[in-house]
Amino acid sequence: MKSLFNKIKNSLPLLIVLFFGIQMITQGQYKNVWMSAGSLHNWYSEIGSELELAGFAKTQQDGFQWPAIYSYQDMQAARGMWIGAKDFTDEKGEFYPFKVCTVGPRNPQFYAFYPQKMEMTAKFAAPTVYVNGNLSYQKNVDIDKVDNSLLYDRVIENVVNSQLGITVKRRIFEFAQQYNDNYIVYEYTFTNTGNTNADPAIELPNTTLKDVYFWFHYRNSINESVRYVVGNASGWGINTMNDARGDGVKADPANEKFRAQFSWHGYFPGKDVSYDNIGGPIWALNSNAARYNTKSDTVGRLGGTQFMGLVTLYADKSASEKVDDPNQPTTTHYTGSDHPLLVAGANSFNKDRMTQEYALMAFGHRSPRHADAIEPSGDFSKQTKDPNSAVSTQEGNSGGISFNNGYGPYTLKPGESVRIVMAEAANGIGRKLQVDTGIKYKKGQITALDKNKIVMQGKDSLMLTFKRATEAFKAGWKIPQPPLPPTSFEVNSGGDRISLKWAANAGDPNPPTAFRIYRALGNVDSNYTMIYETKSPSERSYDDKTVVRGYNYYYYITAVGASQSGGPGTPAGKLESGRYYTQTYDFANLQRQAGESMSDIRIVPNPFNSRAKTSVRFPGTTDEDKIAFYNIPGQCTIRIYSEMGELIKTIEHTNGSGDEYWYQVTSSNQIIVSGIYIAVFTDKNTGESHIEKFAVIR
């Protein structure tokens, strides 16, 4: 009994750590912050890396959205950061041949990293955007302070201590300038502070850390909108292809001299689709896929054409030589995402496991590259081989292939530090080309190879982004800047127009020469068209009279600068403020005056046919089932009955306009069936009633 008691007593500290480690995950106590200034949006965790299923949505694909205006563009499945060293002795005198502290890609047995700081700073306060008097805002924007001297639009400061005594300072920043808004920069400073846990008072003074590696893991999955079109496993990244540049494994094209690894939506010979799925063509929607895509997408739109990846911009040669080492990262590796060392359960006290982890961190450059192992010809538009066949089952190839970057080995004396700068980016073909190419492919007007060659053009776009990020870094991030966005933007529905007004930033160092207004029809993620450019920078309002009654509209406004001659990462021309600052996320529409006579009431469309072309129904995924009641009294009750006289819905119309809408849902929240329906309109002021019939065909 005494022996059992001692075992429990001796295990108690570890049990406590395990308990609280689990609690931190299950209760979501780690702070997450979104970076969303540009067209690429991603969330970041104060623990130092973005673990699988630990974000805001708690789904396999969560974050790294591009272009973020469109729904379900998430491409991040998991991230991981490991720090390892040789011959380490902890504060209790315990010796470790290899000591590795891990955060991600999945939950460790308990955490060896301890958050100290997570703070968002913006160059200027977020503009206020109102639609019909209600605040309409981009979600997940949490600014702690404003600093007008920032070179970039927003920056996250993240500080984390580790059991190795290395403090990680991570600066994450982004621009909204239109030529540099699709990459996010990570500037890491790793310092031997001796701080080994959450309490800065516990230190390892005068401890030199030997052969230190900083290792990063990237599990990519492109993208959530086509996950269930290709098959659920694509959400794990099972069809992800990876390639590299600058690893010395083979010669790279002259215009692609980067130190980078990147991913795209490759071919997977699964059973879920009968056609070539490179680029994620959408031909049909099963019940799962229908949650992420619209009926209009089934024309064949290519839903997964993004290329995403990471470029190394700088890595110290050593703690004492503060110059870029072109040989870093020294490890560019790929392995199965379900590799035994990548699954849950990492333990910074397990010496056997840490020995294996360190070997993975120090692996070197894997040859051949993943993409070349799958398609040796180098023409990846011809890929027909399973991406997972590049690694063995022992390497965990059942859930796709991830890539890894390792920087080191470094020696860090007490107080010394190493700085590493990288940029993670996304690019690809545009939405129009996605649609046009997909239609031709589904109709048989082009071959799968033709389609794939267009998809692969996205690689060149990503290389252009790497080039711009590199130029911006070499210029100390001093790139040409657009004017600041308006400080406020108001959109109000009216009877014969939608009225817009805005306020400008009086202290703008780059004052605008004009403002541009963009509009979309139906959905917030529809295609936007510029509908007006001000004749003078002093204009502060615009009435949009070209809208159609019954349709929903979304807007954003940009401040436009004078023509500039170009600069680092930026071609010549006019620069515009970032669109996401003034994007409306709620619709505006025409609201007619109340009807003068009950006999003027109209029901549109009548009949309603769910199989009819969208041109005879209201546009937009949220409005496909919408029925409009026009010219009604400003204060009235609308009761809808079945042909048998059963009351199925009561609508109280109180906004004073002559318009009301119904989405064919009963009071029990059920979609109605085909049939004849009766609408009874009762004026609340006069008591007068009027009856109209309409038909629904579903």
Side-chain angles (χ1 to χ4, degrees):
M1 178 66 73
K2 185 176 180 181
S3 175
L4 177 60
F5 173 79
N6 287 334
K7 287 182 180 179
I8 295 174
K9 181 182 70 173
N10 293 336
S11 300
L12 190 58
L14 179 57
L15 291 172
I16 292 173
V17 172
L18 287 172
F19 173 78
F20 282 105
I22 293 170
Q23 292 297 304
M24 292 290 271
I25 284 299
T26 57
Q27 296 180 9
Q29 294 178 3
Y30 285 128
K31 180 180 179 181
N32 297 328
V33 177
W34 276 93
M35 178 63 74
S36 54
S39 63
L40 174 61
H41 296 180
N42 197 21
W43 61 270
Y44 296 94
S45 170
E46 67 173 343
I47 193 63
S49 188
E50 291 58 61
L51 285 74
E52 181 178 277
L53 303 176
F56 289 88
K58 301 294 189 296
T59 62
Q60 182 77 48
Q61 291 163 293
D62 184 16
F64 213 80
Q65 306 161 349
W66 185 87
I69 189 58
Y70 298 114
S71 301
Y72 304 112
Q73 300 301 296
D74 302 73
M75 299 184 285
Q76 177 175 275
R79 296 290 182 265
M81 178 181 69
W82 298 359
I83 303 177
K86 287 183 180 179
D87 301 335
F88 177 80
T89 301
D90 68 14
E91 66 272 22
K92 297 179 181 180
E94 181 73 18
F95 175 76
Y96 296 88
F98 300 94
K99 178 74 169 181
V100 179
C101 299
T102 73
V103 53
R106 298 181 188 170
N107 293 340
Q109 191 170 346
F110 62 91
Y111 283 91
F113 285 84
Y114 310 97
Q116 304 294 300
K117 178 182 178 181
M118 188 73 162
E119 184 177 79
M120 167 81 81
T121 303
K123 182 189 292 187
F124 48 85
T128 55
V129 180
Y130 289 89
V131 176
N132 296 328
N134 298 314
L135 191 63
S136 180
Y137 59 93
Q138 183 186 82
K139 305 297 187 293
N140 302 316
V141 176
D142 187 12
I143 297 172
D144 296 298
K145 62 182 181 180
V146 173
D147 181 355
N148 300 134
S149 67
L150 287 181
L151 294 175
Y152 15 83
D153 284 62
R154 288 178 185 160
V155 59
I156 298 171
E157 299 275 358
N158 180 207
V159 180
V160 191
N161 286 339
S162 71
Q163 280 189 3
L164 265 171
I166 291 177
T167 295
V168 182
K169 181 178 180 181
R170 181 168 63 150
R171 300 179 75 249
I172 306 161
F173 55 86
E174 185 176 30
F175 295 97
Q177 193 241 63
Q178 68 256 43
Y179 299 106
N180 291 270
D181 73 342
N182 60 330
Y183 62 83
I184 298 175
V185 180
Y186 312 138
E187 182 182 81
Y188 289 89
T189 303
F190 301 95
T191 305
N192 181 359
T193 62
N195 294 335
T196 58
N197 66 12
D199 184 356
I202 300 178
E203 300 181 357
L204 290 176
N206 302 317
T207 299
T208 296
L209 300 174
K210 294 172 49 181
D211 293 337
V212 180
Y213 276 91
F214 307 104
W215 187 88
F216 300 89
H217 171 88
Y218 301 87
R219 184 178 188 177
N220 298 327
S221 179
I222 304 165
N223 63 44
E224 190 173 24
S225 71
V226 295
R227 173 173 187 167
Y228 292 101
V229 176
V230 177
N232 178 48
S234 66
W236 313 336
I238 201 166
N239 60 310
T240 297
M241 289 282 284
N242 303 283
D243 205 352
R245 295 292 182 269
D247 56 5
V249 170
K250 68 182 228 183
D252 295 317
N255 62 340
E256 298 179 5
K257 299 296 185 181
F258 304 109
R259 294 171 283 173
Q261 293 208 68
F262 56 96
S263 307
W264 69 93
H265 187 295
Y267 175 75
F268 182 73
K271 61 182 180 180
D272 297 279
V273 292
S274 58
Y275 50 85
D276 181 284
N277 52 41
I278 290 178
I282 305 172
W283 284 21
L285 299 176
N286 55 43
S287 59
N288 286 321
R291 294 181 296 166
Y292 302 96
N293 302 281
T294 69
K295 294 178 182 178
S296 60
D297 277 331
T298 55
V299 296
R301 182 178 68 85
L302 307 181
T305 59
Q306 292 91 338
F307 280 68
M308 62 181 294
L310 182 112
V311 59
T312 298
L313 302 174
Y314 177 90
D316 276 338
K317 189 174 183 63
S318 70
S320 58
E321 297 176 274
K322 300 300 183 181
V323 295
D324 182 37
D325 183 353
N327 296 314
Q328 297 287 355
T330 53
T331 290
T332 52
H333 182 261
Y334 60 88
T335 190
S337 299
D338 292 327
H339 189 287
L341 296 178
L342 301 178
V343 299
N347 183 339
S348 59
F349 296 105
N350 185 326
K351 295 181 180 180
D352 289 339
R353 177 163 177 150
M354 288 190 293
T355 299
Q356 298 175 58
E357 289 170 342
Y358 188 91
L360 190 64
M361 300 169 71
F363 180 90
H365 304 295
R366 186 160 187 170
S367 180
R369 296 168 176 169
H370 176 219
D372 291 330
I374 301 303
E375 180 51 60
S377 73
D379 185 351
F380 305 119
S381 61
K382 296 179 178 178
Q383 179 205 345
T384 58
K385 190 178 177 183
D386 181 353
N388 298 307
S389 61
V391 302
S392 65
T393 56
Q394 287 75 23
E395 287 188 71
N397 66 1
S398 60
I401 306 298
S402 300
F403 69 75
N404 317 300
N405 283 336
Y407 302 81
Y410 291 102
T411 296
L412 289 178
K413 297 177 182 178
E416 289 188 333
S417 64
V418 167
R419 174 171 167 257
I420 299 170
V421 185
M422 56 190 83
E424 198 170 9
N427 213 329
I429 66 173
R431 194 77 162 194
K432 185 177 186 303
L433 190 54
Q434 282 186 336
V435 174
D436 293 346
T437 305
I439 289 174
K440 292 177 182 178
Y441 177 52
K442 186 175 181 181
K443 288 182 176 180
Q445 297 172 348
I446 60 174
T447 66
L449 182 61
D450 295 330
K451 178 260 296 181
N452 295 345
K453 287 184 180 297
I454 293 173
V455 172
M456 294 305 298
Q457 292 174 11
K459 186 265 292 181
D460 298 328
S461 299
L462 182 64
M463 294 299 146
L464 175 60
T465 301
F466 287 167
K467 178 176 181 291
R468 287 173 173 167
T470 301
E471 291 178 359
F473 168 75
K474 291 180 178 179
W477 305 116
K478 295 179 181 179
I479 65 174
Q481 290 293 312
L484 298 177
T487 57
S488 65
F489 183 42
E490 297 180 30
V491 179
N492 290 292
S493 303
D496 63 348
R497 71 197 66 187
I498 295 176
S499 299
L500 300 88
K501 64 178 182 178
W502 58 93
N505 195 312
D508 193 343
N510 299 302
T513 60
F515 295 91
R516 290 175 180 169
I517 296 171
Y518 296 82
R519 185 185 72 194
L521 169 65
N523 294 319
V524 68
D525 62 352
S526 300
N527 292 325
Y528 284 76
T529 303
M530 187 179 74
I531 60 170
Y532 182 67
E533 181 170 354
T534 62
K535 308 299 186 293
S536 163
S538 62
E539 290 184 48
R540 294 293 181 267
S541 64
Y542 173 72
D543 288 334
D544 186 3
K545 298 181 179 180
T546 62
V547 290
V548 177
R549 188 181 183 192
Y551 289 2
N552 295 334
Y553 296 91
Y554 297 83
Y555 297 86
Y556 69 88
I557 184 172
T558 64
V560 184
S563 292
Q564 48 88 37
S565 58
T570 309
K574 296 181 178 181
L575 297 177
E576 298 181 56
S577 60
R579 65 170 294 178
Y580 291 91
Y581 290 123
T582 57
Q583 175 69 53
T584 64
Y585 291 89
D586 300 280
F587 63 79
N589 51 26
L590 287 185
Q591 295 180 346
R592 292 287 182 91
Q593 297 295 319
E596 296 181 359
S597 171
M598 287 285 204
S599 61
D600 293 334
I601 292 176
R602 295 289 181 269
I603 299 177
V604 177
N606 187 14
F608 173 89
N609 187 344
S610 65
R611 301 181 186 88
K613 295 180 179 179
T614 54
S615 59
V616 295
R617 290 184 286 146
F618 289 105
T621 56
T622 59
D623 287 345
E624 290 179 339
D625 288 334
K626 185 167 78 173
I627 290 176
F629 304 113
Y630 289 149
N631 303 324
I632 63 176
Q635 306 284 332
C636 68
T637 299
I638 307 170
R639 295 180 176 87
I640 301 171
Y641 298 85
S642 70
E643 193 174 20
M644 301 299 292
E646 178 187 7
L647 177 64
I648 62 171
K649 183 70 175 180
T650 299
I651 302 171
E652 299 295 341
H653 176 72
T654 59
N655 68 4
S657 75
D659 301 342
E660 186 60 74
Y661 303 98
W662 180 48
Y663 290 84
Q664 303 184 48
V665 177
T666 71
S667 298
S668 301
N669 204 35
Q670 296 177 321
I671 297 291
I672 65 173
V673 298
S674 298
I676 302 297
Y677 292 86
I678 301 165
V680 179
F681 304 85
T682 303
D683 190 323
K684 292 185 176 184
N685 295 323
T686 67
E688 181 184 2
S689 293
H690 179 77
I691 297 174
E692 290 281 341
K693 289 185 177 181
F694 61 99
V696 172
I697 304 169
R698 300 192 68 86

